[in-house]
Coordinates of all heavy atoms in Angstrom, one line a residue:
M192 N 0.9 -15.2 -24.1 CA -0.3 -14.4 -24.2 C -1.6 -15.2 -24.5 O -2.7 -14.7 -24.2 CB -0.1 -13.4 -25.3 CG 0.0 -13.9 -26.7 SD 0.4 -12.6 -27.9 CE 0.5 -13.5 -29.4
F193 N -1.5 -16.4 -25.0 CA -2.7 -17.2 -25.2 C -3.2 -17.9 -24.0 O -4.4 -18.4 -23.9 CB -2.5 -18.2 -26.3 CG -2.3 -17.6 -27.7 CD1 -1.0 -17.5 -28.3 CD2 -3.4 -17.1 -28.4 CE1 -0.9 -17.0 -29.5 CE2 -3.2 -16.5 -29.6 CZ -1.9 -16.4 -30.2
L194 N -2.4 -17.9 -22.9 CA -2.9 -18.5 -21.6 C -3.6 -17.5 -20.8 O -4.4 -17.9 -19.9 CB -1.6 -19.0 -20.8 CG -0.8 -20.1 -21.5 CD1 0.4 -20.4 -20.6 CD2 -1.7 -21.3 -21.7
V195 N -3.4 -16.2 -21.0 CA -4.0 -15.1 -20.2 C -5.3 -14.7 -20.7 O -5.4 -14.1 -21.8 CB -3.1 -13.9 -20.1 CG1 -3.7 -12.8 -19.2 CG2 -1.7 -14.3 -19.6
R196 N -6.4 -15.2 -20.0 CA -7.8 -14.9 -20.5 C -8.7 -15.3 -19.4 O -8.4 -16.1 -18.5 CB -8.0 -15.7 -21.8 CG -8.1 -17.2 -21.5 CD -7.7 -18.0 -22.7 NE -8.0 -19.5 -22.5 CZ -7.3 -20.3 -21.8 NH1 -6.2 -19.8 -21.2 NH2 -7.6 -21.6 -21.7
P197 N -10.0 -14.8 -19.5 CA -11.0 -15.3 -18.5 C -11.4 -16.7 -18.9 O -11.6 -17.0 -20.0 CB -12.2 -14.3 -18.8 CG -11.6 -13.1 -19.5 CD -10.4 -13.6 -20.3
V198 N -11.5 -17.6 -17.8 CA -11.8 -19.0 -18.0 C -13.0 -19.4 -17.2 O -13.1 -20.6 -16.8 CB -10.6 -19.9 -17.8 CG1 -9.5 -19.7 -18.8 CG2 -10.0 -19.6 -16.4
G199 N -13.8 -18.4 -16.8 CA -14.9 -18.8 -15.9 C -14.4 -19.2 -14.5 O -15.0 -20.1 -13.9
G200 N -13.4 -18.5 -14.1 CA -12.8 -18.9 -12.8 C -13.7 -18.8 -11.6 O -13.4 -19.4 -10.6
H201 N -14.8 -18.0 -11.6 CA -15.7 -17.9 -10.5 C -16.4 -19.2 -10.2 O -17.0 -19.4 -9.2 CB -16.7 -16.7 -10.7 CG -17.6 -16.9 -11.8 ND1 -17.2 -16.8 -13.1 CD2 -18.9 -17.3 -11.9 CE1 -18.2 -17.0 -13.9 NE2 -19.3 -17.3 -13.2
K202 N -16.3 -20.1 -11.2 CA -16.9 -21.5 -11.0 C -15.9 -22.5 -10.6 O -16.2 -23.7 -10.6 CB -17.6 -21.9 -12.3 CG -18.7 -21.0 -12.7 CD -19.3 -21.5 -14.0 CE -20.5 -20.6 -14.5 NZ -21.1 -21.0 -15.8
Q203 N -14.6 -22.1 -10.3 CA -13.6 -23.0 -10.0 C -13.0 -22.9 -8.5 O -11.9 -23.1 -8.2 CB -12.4 -22.8 -10.9 CG -12.7 -23.0 -12.4 CD -11.5 -22.8 -13.3 OE1 -10.4 -22.9 -12.9 NE2 -11.8 -22.6 -14.6
V204 N -13.9 -22.4 -7.6 CA -13.5 -22.2 -6.2 C -13.2 -23.6 -5.6 O -13.9 -24.5 -5.7 CB -14.6 -21.5 -5.4 CG1 -14.1 -21.2 -4.0 CG2 -15.0 -20.2 -6.1
R205 N -12.0 -23.7 -4.9 CA -11.6 -24.9 -4.2 C -11.3 -24.6 -2.8 O -10.9 -23.4 -2.4 CB -10.3 -25.5 -4.9 CG -10.5 -25.9 -6.3 CD -9.1 -26.5 -6.8 NE -9.2 -27.0 -8.1 CZ -8.9 -26.3 -9.2 NH1 -8.5 -25.1 -9.1 NH2 -9.0 -26.9 -10.4
P206 N -11.5 -25.5 -1.9 CA -11.1 -25.3 -0.5 C -9.7 -25.0 -0.3 O -9.3 -24.4 0.7 CB -11.5 -26.7 0.2 CG -12.5 -27.3 -0.7 CD -12.1 -26.9 -2.1
S207 N -8.8 -25.4 -1.2 CA -7.4 -25.2 -1.1 C -6.9 -23.8 -1.5 O -5.7 -23.5 -1.5 CB -6.6 -26.2 -1.8 OG -6.9 -26.2 -3.2
D208 N -7.8 -23.0 -2.0 CA -7.4 -21.7 -2.5 C -6.7 -20.8 -1.5 O -5.7 -20.1 -1.9 CB -8.7 -20.9 -3.1 CG -9.2 -21.5 -4.4 OD1 -8.4 -22.2 -5.0 OD2 -10.3 -21.2 -4.8
H209 N -7.1 -20.8 -0.3 CA -6.4 -20.1 0.8 C -5.0 -20.5 0.9 O -4.1 -19.7 1.0 CB -7.1 -20.2 2.1 CG -6.5 -19.4 3.2 ND1 -6.5 -18.1 3.3 CD2 -5.8 -19.9 4.3 CE1 -5.8 -17.7 4.4 NE2 -5.4 -18.8 5.0
S210 N -4.7 -21.8 0.9 CA -3.4 -22.3 0.9 C -2.6 -21.9 -0.3 O -1.4 -21.6 -0.2 CB -3.4 -23.8 1.1 OG -4.1 -24.2 2.2
S211 N -3.2 -21.9 -1.4 CA -2.5 -21.5 -2.7 C -2.1 -20.0 -2.6 O -0.9 -19.7 -3.0 CB -3.4 -21.7 -3.9 OG -3.8 -23.1 -4.0
F212 N -2.9 -19.2 -2.1 CA -2.5 -17.8 -1.9 C -1.4 -17.6 -0.9 O -0.5 -16.8 -1.1 CB -3.7 -16.9 -1.4 CG -4.6 -16.4 -2.6 CD1 -5.9 -16.8 -2.7 CD2 -4.1 -15.5 -3.5 CE1 -6.7 -16.4 -3.7 CE2 -4.9 -15.1 -4.5 CZ -6.2 -15.5 -4.7

Side-chain angles (χ1 to χ4, degrees):
M192 65 184 183
F193 292 104
L194 297 177
V195 180
R196 69 208 189 280
V198 290
H201 63 286
K202 299 180 180 180
Q203 299 181 19
V204 185
R205 296 181 176 94
S207 61
D208 284 345
H209 179 68
S210 300
S211 299
F212 274 115

